[in-house]
Amino acid sequence: MGHAYQAVGWNRQKKIYDGVLLGAILLYLGGFLGLGFATHPDATFETMLIRALGTGALLLLHVILSIGPLCRLDRRFLPLLYNRRHLGVAMFILALGHGTLSTIQFHAFGDLHPLVSLLVSNTRFDNLAQFPFQPLGFFALIILALMATTSHDFWLSILSAPVWKALHMLVYVAYALIVMHVVLGVLQTETSLWLSGALGAGVLWVFGLHIVAGRREVRVDLTPAGVEANSYVDVCALQDIPEKRAKVVSIDGERVAVFRYDGRVSALSNPCQHQNGPLGEGCIRDGLVTCPWHGYQYRPDSGASPEPFTEKVPTFKVKVEEGRVLVQSNPQPAGTRVEPATFNAEEIDV
Amino acid sequence: MSDPKQEFYVGYLPQAPHGLGRFLKAGILMLLLGTVVAAAILSMAQSPYSKAKFEFGVSSILEGRIEELPFPTLMVPREGGGDSRYLLTVFGKKGADEAVAGFAGKRVRVRGTLIYHDQLTMVELGPAAIEVLAPATAEPDASDGTVAGGGAWTQTGAGVERSLIGEIVDSKCYLGVMKPGNLKTHRACATRCISGGVPPVLMVRDEHGLATYFLLTSSSGGSVGRQIVDRGLVAEPVRISGEVVRFGDLLVLKADPETYQRLD
C-alpha cells in the first residue's frame, strides 16, 4: 500500500511466483532451442533464438491477458493477478530481446541507422500481403516499454489510478499490433498449420474469455438509471450478502460494494484506489475491507486506509429496513465516515 | 477440507490458504507441462532451414586473382584446369568494392570465411585480408604482380536473350549468412545488403524446385542495386527479360532495371 516505495517488496509468495515464472521461461527457451535444433540441424542460432524469444513473449502475453477475465470467472485464479506486473515486465524483457536481436540481424551494419532502416526498408504499404510487419512489432514494443517502466506503484501514484489504468489498457493495442506483426510477418513464410492454428486459437481464447467475463460484468450494471438524488435505493436483501463479504450493486451507473460484517452493513465505492480492483469481490479481514487484487485495505465505515496509509474511497449511507438493504444514491466524499447500518440477527431471516 | 473457492488470498501473507495452495500447485504443474508442449509445437513446426552454409568462426585461405567488374571476385585455379570464381564480400551489409580496390588483376592470397549454397560460393573477407603474391613464373606479368587479363570478368561464349521469373535476393544472406535469406521476413535485410553493394541475384526455381542464380547487372554491365532498392523489388516475384551471359561458373542477367516487372 502507498506508504513508502521500494523496487520490489519481496515476500515468500512473491519469491515463489517469480521462481515459477523464471523456471517456466527457462524451460520454454531451453525446450524451444533444444527441440528446434534437434529437428532443424541446419538452423542458425540467431534465427532460432529470435523465434524462441518472440514466441515466448507472445505466449506470456496470452497468459497475462487471460488472468483478468479468469479471475472474474473463478476467484481461485486471483493469486496469478497479485504479481501480474512481474509477468508483464518478464514478457517485455523477452520481447525486447526479440526486437533487439531482430534489429541487429536485419538492420544493423548497413548504410542506414538501424531504426531508420526498420521504418523505411519495406515501403509496400499498398499491398496487404507485402505490408511492412517489422514497424508493427516496433510500435508494440514501445507500448510494452511504456507499460513496463511505469508498472511500479510509484508511477501509479504519480499518474493516478485512472490515468495509469488507461495507459495500461494500451496492452490491447500492443496485442493487436503483435498479432498483425506475426500474421503479416513470419506466417507469410512459415506455412505450417500448427503455427497459424496456434495463433488463431490464442486469439480466439483471449477474445472468448473477455466476452464471457464481460457478459457477467454487464449483468451487474443492468439496473435502472435515473435514480433521484439523495434517495435510498433498495439494492438487495440482507441474506444476499454473505457474512464478511459484499454484494456489488449498481446505483445510477456507479458500482457500490455493500459489506455485511458483525451485525453491521457498510457501503463503499467499488473500485479500489490502487488499480481499480473490485473491492466488492474482496472480504472483511481483520475488520478491514480487503481488495482481492493486491490486498489494499480500507475501513468499512470511512473508506479510509488505516494509518500510515493514505488511500481513500467514497462511502455511501446505508439503511436496513425489514431485512432489505437500502443505499443512498449519492456518494459521500472519499474517506467520509458513515455510521454503519445495524440489524438484528432475526432480520436476516425476514 | 476447505473450499478453495471460498478462501481468500492475500499475496503479502506468508502462506496461501491450504485449499488454494493445492489448486495452485496443480496449476503450476499444468503450466510447466503446457510450456513444454508449446515449446515442442512451435519449434518443431518450423519449416526446414536451408542447407546453405556460413562457416562462421572458420578462416580459410585461398590464392587466386582478383577481378572486380561487374562484382568483386576471386578466380582460383582448379587442379584440372580452369578457374573457380568466388564472389567476395566484407563484414556487414556491404559489398567488397572498397576492399578490393587496387588489387584488380593481381595474384593474391585472401583470408576469409566461406559462404556457400548450391553452385555459388562467396568469401567474407576480414580486415587486411588480401595479400599480394609474386606472379607465377609462367604468367606474363607486370612487376607489381598484375596478371594479364586485368580486373574484368571474361565472358564464356555468347549471351542469350531470356525472360525469367524469380525472386531478387542479396547473394550474401541467401548463400548462408541468414536463414531464411529470402522472402518477406528477410526483405528489409536484403534491401540493406543490396543498397550497401552486396551483389543482387535473381533466384529462379524450375518445376522441380531446383534453383538457378543470375547475378543482376544493367545492360552495359553496371550496378543495378540502387534502382532495385528504389523500386522496392526485393523479395517479391519479378519478371526480368534480358541477356544471360556466362562467366565461367557464374551466370549474369543483363537488363535495364527500369524494365523489371513486379508480379503481384
Side-chain angles (χ1 to χ4, degrees), chain A residues 161-214:
Chain A
V163 173
W164 188 89
K165 194 78 181 173
L167 177 68
H168 284 245
M169 290 298 277
L170 287 177
V171 69
Y172 292 102
V173 177
Y175 179 63
L177 288 170
I178 290 168
V179 169
M180 294 307 292
H181 170 73
V182 175
V183 169
L184 296 175
V186 71
L187 290 186
Q188 297 285 313
T189 53
E190 291 289 330
T191 52
S192 167
L193 288 178
W194 282 102
L195 299 176
S196 48
L199 181 67
V203 171
L204 282 176
W205 164 261
V206 168
F207 269 84
L209 211 52
H210 279 74
I211 288 169
V212 171

Short mmCIF file of all heavy atoms in Angstrom, two decimals, chain A residues 161-214:
data_model
loop_
_atom_site.label_atom_id
_atom_site.label_comp_id
_atom_site.label_asym_id
_atom_site.label_seq_id
_atom_site.Cartn_x
_atom_site.Cartn_y
_atom_site.Cartn_z
N ALA A 161 -4.68 6.55 -10.50
CA ALA A 161 -5.17 5.23 -10.93
C ALA A 161 -5.87 5.27 -12.29
O ALA A 161 -5.60 4.42 -13.15
CB ALA A 161 -6.08 4.64 -9.86
N PRO A 162 -6.75 6.25 -12.56
CA PRO A 162 -7.44 6.22 -13.87
C PRO A 162 -6.47 6.40 -15.05
O PRO A 162 -6.60 5.71 -16.05
CB PRO A 162 -8.41 7.41 -13.77
CG PRO A 162 -8.60 7.65 -12.32
CD PRO A 162 -7.30 7.29 -11.68
N VAL A 163 -5.51 7.33 -14.90
CA VAL A 163 -4.55 7.55 -16.00
C VAL A 163 -3.67 6.32 -16.18
O VAL A 163 -3.44 5.85 -17.30
CB VAL A 163 -3.69 8.81 -15.72
CG1 VAL A 163 -2.58 8.94 -16.76
CG2 VAL A 163 -4.56 10.05 -15.70
N TRP A 164 -3.19 5.79 -15.05
CA TRP A 164 -2.33 4.61 -15.10
C TRP A 164 -3.08 3.44 -15.74
O TRP A 164 -2.55 2.73 -16.59
CB TRP A 164 -1.91 4.25 -13.68
CG TRP A 164 -0.87 3.17 -13.58
CD1 TRP A 164 0.48 3.33 -13.58
CD2 TRP A 164 -1.10 1.77 -13.45
NE1 TRP A 164 1.11 2.12 -13.46
CE2 TRP A 164 0.16 1.15 -13.38
CE3 TRP A 164 -2.24 0.97 -13.39
CZ2 TRP A 164 0.32 -0.23 -13.24
CZ3 TRP A 164 -2.09 -0.40 -13.26
CH2 TRP A 164 -0.83 -0.99 -13.18
N LYS A 165 -4.32 3.29 -15.35
CA LYS A 165 -5.13 2.19 -15.88
C LYS A 165 -5.34 2.36 -17.38
O LYS A 165 -5.23 1.40 -18.16
CB LYS A 165 -6.48 2.17 -15.16
CG LYS A 165 -7.28 0.90 -15.36
CD LYS A 165 -6.77 -0.21 -14.50
CE LYS A 165 -7.56 -1.49 -14.73
NZ LYS A 165 -6.95 -2.62 -14.00
N ALA A 166 -5.64 3.59 -17.80
CA ALA A 166 -5.86 3.86 -19.22
C ALA A 166 -4.58 3.56 -20.01
O ALA A 166 -4.63 2.95 -21.08
CB ALA A 166 -6.28 5.31 -19.42
N LEU A 167 -3.45 3.97 -19.45
CA LEU A 167 -2.17 3.71 -20.11
C LEU A 167 -1.95 2.21 -20.28
O LEU A 167 -1.54 1.75 -21.34
CB LEU A 167 -1.04 4.33 -19.27
CG LEU A 167 0.39 4.10 -19.75
CD1 LEU A 167 0.64 4.82 -21.06
CD2 LEU A 167 1.39 4.56 -18.70
N HIS A 168 -2.28 1.48 -19.22
CA HIS A 168 -2.01 0.05 -19.27
C HIS A 168 -3.06 -0.73 -20.06
O HIS A 168 -2.84 -1.89 -20.41
CB HIS A 168 -1.82 -0.49 -17.84
CG HIS A 168 -0.47 -0.13 -17.29
ND1 HIS A 168 0.50 -1.06 -16.97
CD2 HIS A 168 0.08 1.09 -17.07
CE1 HIS A 168 1.58 -0.42 -16.57
NE2 HIS A 168 1.36 0.87 -16.60
N MET A 169 -4.17 -0.08 -20.36
CA MET A 169 -5.14 -0.72 -21.26
C MET A 169 -4.60 -0.74 -22.70
O MET A 169 -5.14 -1.44 -23.56
CB MET A 169 -6.49 0.02 -21.22
CG MET A 169 -7.25 -0.15 -19.92
SD MET A 169 -7.70 -1.86 -19.59
CE MET A 169 -9.20 -1.95 -20.57
N LEU A 170 -3.54 0.04 -22.94
CA LEU A 170 -2.90 0.01 -24.27
C LEU A 170 -2.34 -1.37 -24.59
O LEU A 170 -1.93 -1.63 -25.72
CB LEU A 170 -1.79 1.06 -24.35
CG LEU A 170 -2.23 2.52 -24.43
CD1 LEU A 170 -1.00 3.43 -24.43
CD2 LEU A 170 -3.04 2.77 -25.69
N VAL A 171 -2.31 -2.25 -23.59
CA VAL A 171 -1.83 -3.61 -23.86
C VAL A 171 -2.67 -4.26 -24.96
O VAL A 171 -2.17 -5.07 -25.73
CB VAL A 171 -1.84 -4.46 -22.56
CG1 VAL A 171 -3.26 -4.76 -22.10
CG2 VAL A 171 -1.06 -5.74 -22.77
N TYR A 172 -3.93 -3.86 -25.06
CA TYR A 172 -4.77 -4.45 -26.11
C TYR A 172 -4.37 -3.92 -27.49
O TYR A 172 -4.47 -4.64 -28.48
CB TYR A 172 -6.25 -4.19 -25.81
CG TYR A 172 -6.71 -4.96 -24.60
CD1 TYR A 172 -6.87 -4.32 -23.37
CD2 TYR A 172 -6.93 -6.33 -24.66
CE1 TYR A 172 -7.25 -5.03 -22.24
CE2 TYR A 172 -7.31 -7.05 -23.54
CZ TYR A 172 -7.46 -6.39 -22.34
OH TYR A 172 -7.82 -7.11 -21.23
N VAL A 173 -3.92 -2.68 -27.54
CA VAL A 173 -3.40 -2.14 -28.81
C VAL A 173 -2.11 -2.89 -29.17
O VAL A 173 -1.90 -3.30 -30.32
CB VAL A 173 -3.13 -0.63 -28.68
CG1 VAL A 173 -2.51 -0.09 -29.97
CG2 VAL A 173 -4.41 0.12 -28.35
N ALA A 174 -1.26 -3.07 -28.15
CA ALA A 174 0.00 -3.79 -28.39
C ALA A 174 -0.30 -5.21 -28.87
O ALA A 174 0.35 -5.71 -29.79
CB ALA A 174 0.83 -3.82 -27.11
N TYR A 175 -1.28 -5.84 -28.25
CA TYR A 175 -1.62 -7.22 -28.64
C TYR A 175 -2.07 -7.27 -30.10
O TYR A 175 -1.63 -8.13 -30.87
CB TYR A 175 -2.73 -7.75 -27.72
CG TYR A 175 -3.18 -9.16 -28.04
CD1 TYR A 175 -2.30 -10.22 -27.93
CD2 TYR A 175 -4.48 -9.43 -28.45
CE1 TYR A 175 -2.70 -11.53 -28.22
CE2 TYR A 175 -4.90 -10.72 -28.74
CZ TYR A 175 -3.99 -11.76 -28.62
OH TYR A 175 -4.39 -13.05 -28.92
N ALA A 176 -2.93 -6.32 -30.49
CA ALA A 176 -3.40 -6.28 -31.88
C ALA A 176 -2.22 -6.07 -32.84
O ALA A 176 -2.13 -6.73 -33.89
CB ALA A 176 -4.43 -5.16 -32.05
N LEU A 177 -1.32 -5.16 -32.48
CA LEU A 177 -0.14 -4.91 -33.33
C LEU A 177 0.73 -6.16 -33.44
O LEU A 177 1.24 -6.49 -34.52
CB LEU A 177 0.69 -3.76 -32.75
CG LEU A 177 0.09 -2.35 -32.87
CD1 LEU A 177 0.90 -1.35 -32.04
CD2 LEU A 177 0.07 -1.91 -34.33
N ILE A 178 0.88 -6.86 -32.34
CA ILE A 178 1.74 -8.06 -32.35
C ILE A 178 1.11 -9.16 -33.19
O ILE A 178 1.80 -9.85 -33.95
CB ILE A 178 2.01 -8.53 -30.90
CG1 ILE A 178 2.92 -7.53 -30.19
CG2 ILE A 178 2.66 -9.91 -30.90
CD1 ILE A 178 3.02 -7.73 -28.70
N VAL A 179 -0.20 -9.33 -33.05
CA VAL A 179 -0.87 -10.36 -33.87
C VAL A 179 -0.68 -10.04 -35.36
O VAL A 179 -0.34 -10.92 -36.16
CB VAL A 179 -2.37 -10.44 -33.51
CG1 VAL A 179 -3.13 -11.29 -34.53
CG2 VAL A 179 -2.54 -11.05 -32.11
N MET A 180 -0.83 -8.76 -35.73
CA MET A 180 -0.63 -8.37 -37.13
C MET A 180 0.84 -8.54 -37.54
O MET A 180 1.15 -8.92 -38.67
CB MET A 180 -1.08 -6.92 -37.36
CG MET A 180 -2.56 -6.70 -37.18
SD MET A 180 -3.55 -7.84 -38.17
CE MET A 180 -3.18 -7.25 -39.81
N HIS A 181 1.75 -8.24 -36.60
CA HIS A 181 3.19 -8.42 -36.85
C HIS A 181 3.48 -9.89 -37.21
O HIS A 181 4.25 -10.17 -38.14
CB HIS A 181 3.93 -8.01 -35.56
CG HIS A 181 5.39 -8.34 -35.52
ND1 HIS A 181 6.33 -7.66 -36.25
CD2 HIS A 181 6.07 -9.27 -34.80
CE1 HIS A 181 7.53 -8.16 -35.99
NE2 HIS A 181 7.40 -9.13 -35.12
N VAL A 182 2.83 -10.80 -36.51
CA VAL A 182 3.06 -12.23 -36.77
C VAL A 182 2.36 -12.67 -38.06
O VAL A 182 2.93 -13.36 -38.90
CB VAL A 182 2.57 -13.07 -35.57
CG1 VAL A 182 2.68 -14.55 -35.87
CG2 VAL A 182 3.38 -12.72 -34.32
N VAL A 183 1.10 -12.23 -38.21
CA VAL A 183 0.33 -12.65 -39.39
C VAL A 183 0.97 -12.13 -40.68
O VAL A 183 1.09 -12.86 -41.66
CB VAL A 183 -1.13 -12.15 -39.28
CG1 VAL A 183 -1.88 -12.34 -40.60
CG2 VAL A 183 -1.86 -12.88 -38.16
N LEU A 184 1.39 -10.87 -40.67
CA LEU A 184 1.97 -10.27 -41.87
C LEU A 184 3.47 -10.54 -41.98
O LEU A 184 4.09 -10.18 -42.98
CB LEU A 184 1.72 -8.76 -41.88
CG LEU A 184 0.26 -8.34 -41.96
CD1 LEU A 184 0.13 -6.83 -41.84
CD2 LEU A 184 -0.37 -8.83 -43.24
N GLY A 185 4.04 -11.16 -40.97
CA GLY A 185 5.47 -11.43 -40.98
C GLY A 185 5.75 -12.91 -41.14
O GLY A 185 5.61 -13.47 -42.23
N VAL A 186 6.06 -13.55 -40.05
CA VAL A 186 6.57 -14.92 -40.13
C VAL A 186 5.54 -15.89 -40.73
O VAL A 186 5.90 -16.85 -41.40
CB VAL A 186 7.05 -15.39 -38.73
CG1 VAL A 186 5.89 -15.63 -37.79
CG2 VAL A 186 7.94 -16.62 -38.86
N LEU A 187 4.25 -15.62 -40.52
CA LEU A 187 3.25 -16.55 -41.09
C LEU A 187 3.12 -16.40 -42.61
O LEU A 187 2.44 -17.20 -43.25
CB LEU A 187 1.89 -16.35 -40.42
CG LEU A 187 1.80 -16.83 -38.96
CD1 LEU A 187 0.38 -16.74 -38.45
CD2 LEU A 187 2.32 -18.26 -38.81
N GLN A 188 3.76 -15.38 -43.18
CA GLN A 188 3.80 -15.27 -44.64
C GLN A 188 4.82 -16.25 -45.23
O GLN A 188 4.75 -16.57 -46.41
CB GLN A 188 4.19 -13.85 -45.07
CG GLN A 188 3.19 -12.79 -44.64
CD GLN A 188 1.94 -12.81 -45.49
OE1 GLN A 188 2.02 -12.86 -46.70
NE2 GLN A 188 0.80 -12.77 -44.84
N THR A 189 5.76 -16.68 -44.41
CA THR A 189 6.78 -17.60 -44.93
C THR A 189 6.75 -18.97 -44.25
O THR A 189 7.22 -19.94 -44.81
CB THR A 189 8.19 -17.00 -44.74
OG1 THR A 189 8.36 -16.62 -43.37
CG2 THR A 189 8.36 -15.76 -45.60
N GLU A 190 6.21 -19.02 -43.04
CA GLU A 190 6.08 -20.31 -42.34
C GLU A 190 4.66 -20.81 -42.56
O GLU A 190 3.70 -20.19 -42.10
CB GLU A 190 6.35 -20.14 -40.84
CG GLU A 190 7.78 -19.82 -40.51
CD GLU A 190 8.72 -21.00 -40.71
OE1 GLU A 190 8.26 -22.16 -40.57
OE2 GLU A 190 9.88 -20.77 -41.05
N THR A 191 4.54 -21.92 -43.26
CA THR A 191 3.21 -22.33 -43.72
C THR A 191 2.58 -23.44 -42.88
O THR A 191 1.49 -23.90 -43.21
CB THR A 191 3.31 -22.81 -45.18
OG1 THR A 191 4.35 -23.79 -45.25
CG2 THR A 191 3.64 -21.65 -46.10
N SER A 192 3.22 -23.87 -41.82
CA SER A 192 2.66 -24.95 -41.00
C SER A 192 1.33 -24.53 -40.38
O SER A 192 1.21 -23.45 -39.80
CB SER A 192 3.64 -25.34 -39.89
OG SER A 192 2.98 -26.15 -38.94
N LEU A 193 0.35 -25.41 -40.49
CA LEU A 193 -0.96 -25.14 -39.88
C LEU A 193 -0.86 -25.11 -38.36
O LEU A 193 -1.69 -24.51 -37.69
CB LEU A 193 -1.98 -26.17 -40.33
CG LEU A 193 -2.45 -26.05 -41.78
CD1 LEU A 193 -3.42 -27.17 -42.13
CD2 LEU A 193 -3.08 -24.70 -42.04
N TRP A 194 0.14 -25.78 -37.82
CA TRP A 194 0.32 -25.75 -36.36
C TRP A 194 0.57 -24.32 -35.88
O TRP A 194 0.09 -23.92 -34.83
CB TRP A 194 1.50 -26.65 -35.96
CG TRP A 194 1.19 -28.10 -35.96
CD1 TRP A 194 1.53 -29.01 -36.92
CD2 TRP A 194 0.45 -28.82 -34.97
NE1 TRP A 194 1.04 -30.25 -36.59
CE2 TRP A 194 0.39 -30.17 -35.38
CE3 TRP A 194 -0.17 -28.47 -33.77
CZ2 TRP A 194 -0.27 -31.16 -34.65
CZ3 TRP A 194 -0.81 -29.45 -33.02
CH2 TRP A 194 -0.86 -30.77 -33.47
N LEU A 195 1.37 -23.59 -36.67
CA LEU A 195 1.72 -22.24 -36.24
C LEU A 195 0.55 -21.27 -36.40
O LEU A 195 0.20 -20.54 -35.47
CB LEU A 195 2.93 -21.73 -37.04
CG LEU A 195 4.21 -22.56 -36.87
CD1 LEU A 195 5.32 -22.04 -37.77
CD2 LEU A 195 4.66 -22.53 -35.42
N SER A 196 -0.07 -21.28 -37.58
CA SER A 196 -1.22 -20.38 -37.77
C SER A 196 -2.37 -20.82 -36.86
O SER A 196 -3.10 -19.98 -36.31
CB SER A 196 -1.66 -20.34 -39.23
OG SER A 196 -1.76 -21.64 -39.74
N GLY A 197 -2.52 -22.15 -36.67
CA GLY A 197 -3.58 -22.65 -35.78
C GLY A 197 -3.35 -22.22 -34.34
O GLY A 197 -4.29 -21.85 -33.63
N ALA A 198 -2.10 -22.26 -33.91
CA ALA A 198 -1.78 -21.86 -32.53
C ALA A 198 -2.12 -20.40 -32.31
O ALA A 198 -2.72 -20.03 -31.28
CB ALA A 198 -0.31 -22.12 -32.23
N LEU A 199 -1.77 -19.55 -33.27
CA LEU A 199 -2.07 -18.12 -33.11
C LEU A 199 -3.58 -17.89 -33.14
O LEU A 199 -4.13 -17.14 -32.31
CB LEU A 199 -1.40 -17.30 -34.23
CG LEU A 199 -1.65 -15.80 -34.11
CD1 LEU A 199 -0.97 -15.23 -32.87
CD2 LEU A 199 -1.17 -15.05 -35.35
N GLY A 200 -4.26 -18.57 -34.07
CA GLY A 200 -5.72 -18.42 -34.15
C GLY A 200 -6.39 -18.87 -32.86
O GLY A 200 -7.30 -18.19 -32.35
N ALA A 201 -5.93 -19.99 -32.32
CA ALA A 201 -6.51 -20.49 -31.06
C ALA A 201 -6.25 -19.50 -29.93
O ALA A 201 -7.13 -19.25 -29.09
CB ALA A 201 -5.91 -21.85 -30.72
N GLY A 202 -5.07 -18.92 -29.92
CA GLY A 202 -4.74 -17.94 -28.88
C GLY A 202 -5.62 -16.71 -28.95
O GLY A 202 -6.13 -16.23 -27.93
N VAL A 203 -5.83 -16.20 -30.16
CA VAL A 203 -6.67 -15.01 -30.33
C VAL A 203 -8.12 -15.33 -29.92
O VAL A 203 -8.77 -14.56 -29.20
CB VAL A 203 -6.61 -14.51 -31.79
CG1 VAL A 203 -7.63 -13.42 -32.03
CG2 VAL A 203 -5.21 -14.00 -32.11
N LEU A 204 -8.60 -16.49 -30.37
CA LEU A 204 -9.98 -16.87 -30.01
C LEU A 204 -10.12 -17.03 -28.50
O LEU A 204 -11.13 -16.64 -27.91
CB LEU A 204 -10.35 -18.19 -30.70
CG LEU A 204 -10.72 -18.07 -32.18
CD1 LEU A 204 -10.99 -19.45 -32.77
CD2 LEU A 204 -11.96 -17.18 -32.36
N TRP A 205 -9.12 -17.62 -27.87
CA TRP A 205 -9.14 -17.82 -26.42
C TRP A 205 -9.23 -16.48 -25.69
O TRP A 205 -10.07 -16.30 -24.80
CB TRP A 205 -7.89 -18.59 -26.01
CG TRP A 205 -7.58 -18.56 -24.54
CD1 TRP A 205 -6.68 -17.76 -23.91
CD2 TRP A 205 -8.18 -19.36 -23.52
NE1 TRP A 205 -6.67 -18.00 -22.57
CE2 TRP A 205 -7.58 -18.98 -22.29
CE3 TRP A 205 -9.15 -20.36 -23.51
CZ2 TRP A 205 -7.93 -19.57 -21.08
CZ3 TRP A 205 -9.50 -20.94 -22.29
CH2 TRP A 205 -8.90 -20.55 -21.10
N VAL A 206 -8.38 -15.55 -26.07
CA VAL A 206 -8.37 -14.24 -25.40
C VAL A 206 -9.70 -13.51 -25.62
O VAL A 206 -10.31 -13.00 -24.66
CB VAL A 206 -7.19 -13.38 -25.91
CG1 VAL A 206 -7.32 -11.93 -25.47
CG2 VAL A 206 -5.87 -13.95 -25.40
N PHE A 207 -10.15 -13.49 -26.87
CA PHE A 207 -11.42 -12.81 -27.15
C PHE A 207 -12.58 -13.49 -26.42
O PHE A 207 -13.42 -12.84 -25.81
CB PHE A 207 -11.68 -12.78 -28.65
CG PHE A 207 -11.13 -11.57 -29.32
CD1 PHE A 207 -9.80 -11.52 -29.70
CD2 PHE A 207 -11.91 -10.45 -29.55
CE1 PHE A 207 -9.27 -10.40 -30.30
CE2 PHE A 207 -11.39 -9.32 -30.14
CZ PHE A 207 -10.06 -9.29 -30.53
N GLY A 208 -12.63 -14.82 -26.54
CA GLY A 208 -13.74 -15.57 -25.93
C GLY A 208 -13.81 -15.35 -24.43
O GLY A 208 -14.88 -15.12 -23.86
N LEU A 209 -12.65 -15.41 -23.80
CA LEU A 209 -12.60 -15.25 -22.34
C LEU A 209 -13.09 -13.85 -21.94
O LEU A 209 -13.84 -13.70 -20.97
CB LEU A 209 -11.14 -15.44 -21.90
CG LEU A 209 -10.86 -16.02 -20.53
CD1 LEU A 209 -11.63 -17.32 -20.32
CD2 LEU A 209 -9.36 -16.28 -20.39
N HIS A 210 -12.69 -12.85 -22.69
CA HIS A 210 -13.11 -11.48 -22.38
C HIS A 210 -14.62 -11.31 -22.60
O HIS A 210 -15.28 -10.60 -21.84
CB HIS A 210 -12.33 -10.47 -23.22
CG HIS A 210 -10.97 -10.17 -22.66
ND1 HIS A 210 -9.92 -11.05 -22.74
CD2 HIS A 210 -10.49 -9.08 -21.98
CE1 HIS A 210 -8.86 -10.53 -22.14
NE2 HIS A 210 -9.18 -9.33 -21.67
N ILE A 211 -15.13 -11.94 -23.62
CA ILE A 211 -16.57 -11.80 -23.89
C ILE A 211 -17.38 -12.48 -22.79
O ILE A 211 -18.34 -11.91 -22.26
CB ILE A 211 -16.91 -12.39 -25.28
CG1 ILE A 211 -16.36 -11.46 -26.37
CG2 ILE A 211 -18.41 -12.59 -25.45
CD1 ILE A 211 -16.39 -12.05 -27.76
N VAL A 212 -16.97 -13.69 -22.40
CA VAL A 212 -17.72 -14.41 -21.35
C VAL A 212 -17.66 -13.63 -20.03
O VAL A 212 -18.69 -13.42 -19.37
CB VAL A 212 -17.12 -15.83 -21.16
CG1 VAL A 212 -17.73 -16.50 -19.94
CG2 VAL A 212 -17.38 -16.67 -22.40
N ALA A 213 -16.47 -13.18 -19.67
CA ALA A 213 -16.34 -12.43 -18.40
C ALA A 213 -17.06 -11.08 -18.51
O ALA A 213 -17.67 -10.62 -17.54
CB ALA A 213 -14.86 -12.22 -18.08
N GLY A 214 -16.99 -10.46 -19.68
CA GLY A 214 -17.64 -9.18 -19.86
C GLY A 214 -19.15 -9.27 -19.73
O GLY A 214 -19.79 -8.38 -19.15
#
